[in-house]
Amino acid sequence: MRSHPQVHDANPTGGHNKFGDLPEWDLTDLYPSPDGPEISKDMDWLDTACADFANDYEGKLDTLNADDLLNAVQRYEQIDIIAGRIMSYAGLRYYQITTDSDRAKFMADMQDKITAFTTPLVFYGLEFNRLDDDHLDGLLAANTDLARYKPVFDRMRAMKPHQLSDELEKFLHDQSTVGAAAWNRLFDETMAGLEFEVNGETLNLEATLNLLTEQDRSKREAATHALADVFQENIKTFARVHNTLAKEKEIEDRWRKMPSPQAGRHLANHVEAEVVEALRDAVVAAYPRLSHRYYALKAKWLGLERMETWDRNAPLPMESERSIGWDEAQQTVMDAYADFAPEMAELARPFFTDGWIDAPVKPGKAPGAFAHPTVTTVHPYVMLNYLGKPRDVMTLAHELGHGVHQVLAAGQGELLSSTPLTLAETASVFGEMLTFRKLLEGAKTKQERKVLLAGKVEDMINTVVRQIAFYDFECKLHAARAQGELTPDDINALWMSVQAQSLGEVFDFTPGYETFWAYIPHFVHSPFYVYAYAFGDGLVNALYAVYEEGDPDFKDKYFDMLKAGGSKHHKELLAPFGLDASDPKFWDKGLSMIEGFIDELEAMED
């Protein structure tokens, strides 16, 4: 079963505040209520469907003809949809108020039951991978509807060399809720419960991190110290979470004969290790030309000889502190989408009108932002923590890009819609780029243009440089954990080793910053996910260059790429644009766009 990320019922009071009427989720498209008959009915159906599936097919997969195998695949897909729908609802409700123990219990109970129901299905992937290649090729040749699922089969069979015995696979599936999933939940609940004292005010994580983008330097410094103090108080818990998850991964990887800790992620992403290494090496080689150079410029703008970590995301002195209302944010993004293609704006519209976005900051709400595809028979939901900053407008453009991508890919059906992580960031980053170019076009003064360019460069550095530094940190963390238990100081040292290298000479690192690895959720939820952001940014920069060169068929090719979902490999998807991610020059094309923006900023200094 593919895992569905964990998910307030419609709040009739809405989210009115100084930014306007902020929309909240209406989850009734998934289920009317957690205790209604609809969920009970689906849970009963799922229980029976899983048992019947195992009864009909276990031990018999190699005897099926093409039509019967197609029937099995479609039944499996239907089970995936119902399980995914239930978990999406439970997860989205939980994320709206993670401190609500009833929501947490509901999600955990659903997860436990669905894990139990689906344990009998473990045989399916194992038996499928034991099918002889020639036999499977013959079945695919005999039935075009079955052949459509070939990309799914290819991804399953990529795990063939790493498959364990049927009994062990069932055990791992069964025990998953008390393994990584339990440690993930401990991390989420700990983070949601943290309180930070800043200048006499008690804030949650999201609001405290937001202070790091305040114009007032003393507020940024106070927030940094508050973060460091609270992370330090909880550092043993965070170190325990990381030690346990890294060790659990090492044990499973060893049993599966994975060649490296990253190998499982590369397989899941359908990307070759050498492509990721080419990306990583290109970005690390570009640190001096990108982040080091930009932050030296920024120090000058801020009037500083040396920068502290709390200056990294500081607004520029000439930047206005104007809050952007929700209506303006919506209009900006919708106009940018419509300028590219009217149909793109039409796909985005229901997110605003039909309760598909949850925007306000609320007590207990999960931090950050995401777009969750739910299942292909419903629609995606977008979560934001909207605070009226220019960056929040870019976040809206980003998550809406994901949403549009997920809507378009849904036509592939449940098993083929899910885009590998390497391409999952394409539409989101492209949506951001369209919005940025729209804003740049409207800049009335040199200063306004400078602020916009600097903001975009910072976002790109955070997406490319910072995420590759995160990736290096994870690589070091997993390698070090393989040698033994890591103390908090050990993990702190690994974190600092990548920070100075990636940020550059101009930075001083205040005591306490060494613990800032603790709040990054990707290290816990999705080991080695972070390179997908850099992959997506580099890929979109290269794509955007093709768009700017004036390819007359670009829009059609672009929509075709999004509609493909997970049905094609990145080589196939990029070929129509004349791009190839395995070519090291490909990454330089993307990085040179960031460099060009920094060139323009430097030229403005003259």
Side-chain angles (χ1 to χ4, degrees):
M1 304 294 297
R2 81 184 162 88
S3 64
H4 291 266
Q6 297 93 11
V7 198
H8 172 114
D9 301 316
N11 182 342
T13 60
H16 186 79
N17 62 23
K18 63 182 177 181
F19 309 120
D21 279 320
L22 297 179
E24 299 196 38
W25 279 334
D26 175 357
L27 297 180
T28 54
D29 287 348
L30 287 164
Y31 290 101
S33 72
D35 48 11
E38 296 84 0
I39 281 194
S40 300
K41 183 174 163 233
D42 276 358
M43 287 296 277
D44 290 343
W45 180 88
L46 196 61
D47 188 9
T48 306
C50 291
D52 288 350
F53 186 92
N55 191 51
D56 291 348
Y57 297 117
E58 189 162 12
K60 305 168 194 164
L61 229 53
D62 59 352
T63 67
L64 302 181
N65 64 27
D67 293 349
D68 291 339
L69 184 58
L70 174 65
N71 190 42
V73 171
Q74 288 171 336
R75 280 173 64 179
Y76 186 90
E77 187 164 35
Q78 194 54 39
I79 288 168
D80 214 22
I81 288 170
I82 300 301
R85 186 177 190 136
I86 294 165
M87 282 317 300
S88 292
Y89 178 69
L92 290 172
R93 277 186 79 247
Y94 168 71
Y95 274 153
Q96 279 198 307
I97 315 179
T98 59
T99 46
D100 180 334
S101 50
D102 288 341
R103 290 170 188 245
K105 175 179 162 52
F106 178 74
M107 185 177 79
D109 287 349
M110 292 298 103
Q111 184 70 71
D112 284 348
K113 286 177 182 172
I114 287 173
T115 301
F117 293 165
T118 55
T119 296
L121 305 183
V122 172
F123 81 89
Y124 172 71
L126 305 175
E127 282 192 33
F128 201 99
N129 282 353
R130 285 200 290 267
L131 294 177
D132 178 75
D133 287 345
D134 291 342
H135 174 65
L136 181 59
D137 289 345
L139 295 177
L140 297 180
N143 189 313
T144 51
D145 290 335
L146 182 65
R148 206 175 73 77
Y149 290 96
K150 187 176 185 299
V152 180
F153 304 151
D154 288 345
R155 282 201 284 277
M156 281 167 68
R157 287 167 83 81
M159 280 299 290
K160 195 173 174 177
H162 309 292
Q163 202 162 283
L164 303 175
S165 70
D166 292 15
E167 198 173 29
L168 265 176
E169 292 287 359
K170 282 181 181 168
F171 170 76
L172 285 174
H173 178 88
D174 237 355
Q175 127 343 312
S176 61
T177 52
V178 292
W183 289 96
N184 272 257
R185 208 175 124 191
L186 172 67
F187 174 83
D188 287 343
E189 289 172 2
T190 305
M191 287 319 300
L194 294 184
E195 293 183 335
F196 303 85
E197 296 290 326
V198 188
N199 299 333
E201 205 180 343
T202 303
L203 303 172
N204 67 6
L205 177 65
E206 194 72 23
T208 312
L209 290 170
N210 191 55
L211 291 176
L212 299 178
T213 60
E214 281 285 329
Q215 196 68 261
D216 182 340
R217 193 177 191 220
S218 66
K219 282 187 185 170
R220 301 197 306 268
E221 181 176 356
T224 300
H225 291 311
L227 290 164
D229 290 347
V230 174
F231 294 157
Q232 185 57 45
E233 283 164 24
N234 294 274
I235 203 69
K236 286 185 176 172
T237 301
F238 295 126
R240 170 61 44 234
V241 169
H242 282 70
N243 267 295
T244 306
L245 286 171
K247 184 62 181 175
E248 186 192 53
K249 186 175 191 325
E250 185 272 323
I251 292 166
E252 189 170 327
D253 283 351
R254 178 159 31 90
W255 276 76
R256 292 193 182 284
K257 297 184 170 57
M258 288 286 180
S260 71
Q262 302 83 359
R265 175 63 66 203
H266 300 336
L267 278 172
N269 286 350
H270 215 44
V271 67
E272 302 73 24
E274 52 273 20
V275 171
V276 178
E277 283 313 297
L279 161 65
R280 183 255 167 214
D281 293 348
V283 173
V284 172
Y287 284 169
R289 308 198 306 276
L290 303 178
S291 45
H292 298 190
R293 198 168 137 223
Y294 174 74
Y295 288 128
L297 264 180
K298 184 167 185 175
K300 198 158 59 164
W301 297 332
L302 294 173
L304 300 170
E305 285 290 319
R306 310 278 307 151
M307 295 241 284
E308 289 286 353
T309 52
W310 58 76
D311 299 315
R312 187 173 61 82
N313 285 324
L316 303 186
M318 65 290 269
E319 209 169 305
S320 77
E321 291 205 55
R322 182 176 77 87
S323 271
I324 298 161
W326 178 253
D327 288 347
E328 187 187 338
Q330 176 179 339
Q331 197 62 50
T332 302
V333 176
M334 288 293 276
D335 286 352
Y337 276 28
D339 284 356
F340 173 71
E343 57 268 43
M344 197 153 148
E346 282 310 305
L347 288 164
R349 193 172 308 284
F351 283 86
F352 295 100
T353 57
D354 295 1
W356 299 5
I357 297 179
D358 197 273
V361 174
K362 290 174 289 194
K365 183 175 172 179
F370 62 73
H372 178 46
T374 75
V375 286
T376 51
T377 53
V378 188
H379 56 76
Y381 283 91
V382 162
M383 192 187 87
L384 307 170
N385 277 277
Y386 189 80
L387 290 161
K389 301 256 184 184
R391 270 207 176 90
D392 293 336
V393 181
M394 296 310 257
T395 301
L396 171 61
H398 180 101
E399 300 305 341
L400 210 55
H402 276 308
V404 166
H405 192 175
Q406 289 158 358
V407 169
L408 285 167
Q412 294 287 346
E414 195 66 17
L415 296 179
L416 282 160
S417 64
S418 185
T419 312
L421 287 183
T422 42
L423 291 164
E425 295 299 327
T426 307
S428 51
V429 180
F430 197 83
E432 265 189 89
M433 184 63 88
L434 292 172
T435 305
F436 165 69
R437 297 285 183 173
K438 178 83 181 161
L439 292 169
L440 202 60
E441 225 173 79
K444 293 175 183 66
T445 63
K446 180 179 171 180
Q447 186 162 299
E448 211 180 316
R449 186 176 178 88
K450 183 177 185 174
V451 168
L452 282 167
L453 274 171
K456 186 60 181 166
V457 169
E458 289 207 13
D459 285 345
M460 289 168 133
I461 286 172
N462 282 334
T463 307
V464 178
V465 169
R466 196 148 172 78
Q467 301 302 329
I468 289 299
F470 283 179
Y471 177 67
D472 277 357
F473 165 71
E474 281 193 278
C475 292
K476 289 183 176 193
L477 177 82
H478 284 262
R481 181 64 184 93
Q483 304 306 311
E485 177 90 6
L486 301 174
T487 66
D489 285 346
D490 292 336
I491 304 177
N492 293 348
L494 296 174
W495 172 254
M496 292 309 294
S497 72
V498 300
Q499 293 305 305
Q501 181 197 16
S502 63
L503 294 177
E505 293 295 315
V506 77
F507 276 94
D508 289 328
F509 295 93
T510 192
Y513 183 71
E514 66 276 4
T515 61
F516 275 45
W517 52 269
Y519 80 92
I520 313 288
H522 297 94
F523 301 156
V524 174
H525 294 310
S526 320
F528 305 108
Y529 178 106
V530 287
Y531 74 72
Y533 289 114
F535 198 110
D537 203 274
L539 191 148
V540 167
N541 292 343
L543 262 183
Y544 204 89
V546 175
Y547 174 50
E548 282 191 313
E549 284 157 15
D551 178 348
D553 301 321
F554 183 87
K555 285 172 199 174
D556 290 341
K557 291 177 191 171
Y558 181 71
F559 278 106
D560 285 346
M561 178 169 74
L562 300 190
K563 285 175 186 165
S567 67
K568 291 180 179 174
H569 186 268
H570 62 78
K571 269 195 188 307
E572 266 184 286
L573 288 171
L574 291 173
F577 302 96
L579 298 171
D580 178 5
S582 59
D583 179 354
K585 290 192 193 73
F586 170 83
W587 299 113
D588 290 332
K589 190 182 180 101
L591 295 170
S592 66
M593 181 181 278
I594 311 176
E595 226 175 318
F597 290 156
I598 300 173
D599 289 343
E600 188 177 339
L601 285 168
E602 279 186 339
M604 285 180 176
E605 294 300 289
D606 302 337

